[in-house]
Amino acid sequence: MNITEQDLDYKRIPTHIAIIMDGNGRWAKKRGLPRVMGHRAGIKTVREIIKSCSELNVKILSLFAFSTENWRRPKEEVDALMDLLVLTIENELDELIGNNIIIKTIGDKGGLPKYVQKKVVEAEEKTKKNTGMIVNVALNYGGRKEIVDGVKEICKKVINNEISINDIDEHLFSQMLYTKGLPDPDLLIRPSGELRLSNFLLWQNAYTELWFTPVFWPDFTKEHLISAIKDYQKRDRRFGNV
Ligand code: IPE
Ligand code: IPE
Ligand code: MG
């Protein structure tokens, strides 16, 4: 059965969709290509999914692009990913600005190479006055690191007498995270057949609906996105209630 946009309930589009963009390497391997070709092919999907989410009136799209653990990969692959990121910003920035997209990043930007930091900051600066969909790119992002950094920040506030221990609650703590000000993801999509979070938005995904597909990220299309949203609309989100 072909799933189309007509099948969606436009009143119940998830506000925030998070995607773990996985499977580029295996996509390339299946074709006898070097892994980096998979990453390149994945950029086309990023373009298509940003466009589709924006058309469907999704407000926030969080994309996991590089994890704190991805530094373990061969230097050659890490370098290629960093170059690809810079190149993509260079190629796409004008169109993103024209499409009213706001680029934000989450993760430890300071740990990225300087030339990457510069481009990323440029993308954030040049899109910050836009009013459309937020594309939140997770770069050098790790959920555990984010939580530990948040704990350090809140400890400093206690030591400096800005807050007392009794002021600390879930809401205040969430303001210490990279995602402060953003609502939690409603729907998390992971392609590539892996059924895990891989350290992505551990705090924020507490009540997120999860959707998995064996399709590799370069083969992921608008139709898969619509299918995920359609499944999401059938779910009963109880949040612990009855
Ligand atoms: C996801 O694809 C992209 C990044 C992690 C940067 P992978 O490179 O993890 O692809 P697989 O999982 O090896 O197929
Ligand atoms: C998660 O994918 C990180 C990104 C998609 C950026 P990985 O490919 O790094 O995750 P694991 O190693 O399979 O858990
Ligand atoms: Mg992977």
Side-chain angles (χ1 to χ4, degrees), residues 107-198:
D108 179 10
K109 260 201 299 246
L112 294 167
K114 282 280 177 303
Y115 79 103
V116 178
Q117 286 182 41
K118 232 178 98 197
K119 268 293 155 200
V120 167
V121 170
E122 182 191 335
E124 289 180 310
E125 283 297 316
K126 288 190 172 162
T127 60
K128 73 176 181 204
K129 292 213 177 78
N130 283 352
T131 54
M133 185 174 77
I134 297 172
V135 175
N136 187 36
V137 189
L139 287 173
N140 193 20
Y141 175 88
R144 287 185 173 177
K145 178 168 169 40
E146 179 182 35
I147 292 169
V148 169
D149 287 349
V151 168
K152 286 185 189 164
E153 208 174 308
I154 218 158
C155 287
K156 273 190 223 150
K157 288 189 190 297
V158 173
I159 290 168
N160 296 335
N161 289 315
E162 288 169 46
I163 57 168
S164 80
I165 286 183
N166 291 327
D167 294 330
I168 301 174
D169 60 11
E170 291 178 17
H171 175 74
L172 186 71
F173 186 69
S174 72
Q175 300 310 298
M176 304 295 128
L177 301 176
Y178 302 127
T179 49
K180 64 171 169 283
L182 298 178
D184 291 338
D186 300 292
L187 171 64
L188 174 105
I189 296 173
R190 182 167 194 162
S192 93
E194 308 301 352
L195 309 179
R196 54 178 174 258
L197 289 177
S198 299

Side-chain angles (χ1 to χ4, degrees):
M1 186 191 77
N2 259 4
I3 297 181
T4 68
E5 282 161 66
Q6 277 79 51
D7 297 309
L8 293 176
D9 175 354
Y10 275 85
K11 290 187 294 299
R12 288 178 53 223
I13 297 291
T15 302
H16 182 176
I17 297 181
I19 305 183
I20 301 176
M21 306 187 289
D22 197 18
N24 295 347
R26 280 164 286 170
W27 180 93
K29 190 169 177 217
K30 208 171 79 181
R31 288 164 176 75
L33 299 168
R35 290 179 56 86
V36 61
M37 295 301 280
H39 297 313
R40 271 191 216 152
I43 301 296
K44 278 212 302 295
T45 309
V46 176
R47 278 179 59 103
E48 185 179 339
I49 295 308
I50 290 177
K51 183 164 170 275
S52 304
C53 282
S54 176
E55 285 165 3
L56 291 168
N57 206 20
V58 171
K59 302 292 180 215
I60 305 157
L61 174 65
S62 290
L63 298 172
F64 202 3
F66 193 88
S67 77
T68 47
E69 288 74 33
N70 288 147
W71 298 108
R72 294 174 187 155
R73 296 185 178 202
K75 182 177 181 311
E76 186 186 88
E77 181 171 346
V78 170
D79 289 349
L81 281 166
M82 295 298 150
D83 288 348
L84 198 56
L85 178 66
V86 168
L87 197 68
T88 304
I89 296 174
E90 283 171 355
N91 290 338
E92 305 293 332
L93 191 53
D94 284 342
E95 199 174 325
L96 291 165
I97 295 170
N99 289 334
N100 203 19
I101 301 282
I102 302 163
I103 299 287
K104 282 185 192 284
T105 55
I106 53 172
D108 179 10
K109 260 201 299 246
L112 294 167
K114 282 280 177 303
Y115 79 103
V116 178
Q117 286 182 41
K118 232 178 98 197
K119 268 293 155 200
V120 167
V121 170
E122 182 191 335
E124 289 180 310
E125 283 297 316
K126 288 190 172 162
T127 60
K128 73 176 181 204
K129 292 213 177 78
N130 283 352
T131 54
M133 185 174 77
I134 297 172
V135 175
N136 187 36
V137 189
L139 287 173
N140 193 20
Y141 175 88
R144 287 185 173 177
K145 178 168 169 40
E146 179 182 35
I147 292 169
V148 169
D149 287 349
V151 168
K152 286 185 189 164
E153 208 174 308
I154 218 158
C155 287
K156 273 190 223 150
K157 288 189 190 297
V158 173
I159 290 168
N160 296 335
N161 289 315
E162 288 169 46
I163 57 168
S164 80
I165 286 183
N166 291 327
D167 294 330
I168 301 174
D169 60 11
E170 291 178 17
H171 175 74
L172 186 71
F173 186 69
S174 72
Q175 300 310 298
M176 304 295 128
L177 301 176
Y178 302 127
T179 49
K180 64 171 169 283
L182 298 178
D184 291 338
D186 300 292
L187 171 64
L188 174 105
I189 296 173
R190 182 167 194 162
S192 93
E194 308 301 352
L195 309 179
R196 54 178 174 258
L197 289 177
S198 299
N199 206 11
F200 192 39
L201 299 174
L202 296 182
W203 171 277
Q204 297 85 342
N205 279 325
Y207 264 104
T208 302
E209 295 297 328
L210 310 179
W211 195 86
F212 299 99
T213 172
V215 166
F216 296 137
W217 178 246
D219 290 331
F220 189 92
T221 62
K222 182 173 188 177
E223 203 163 281
H224 297 108
L225 175 73
I226 289 171
S227 167
I229 297 175
K230 190 149 173 53
D231 285 347
Y232 165 86
Q233 293 183 335
K234 287 187 222 141
R235 308 244 184 119
D236 179 16
R237 301 186 79 188
R238 286 189 292 279
F239 298 98
N241 208 329
V242 288

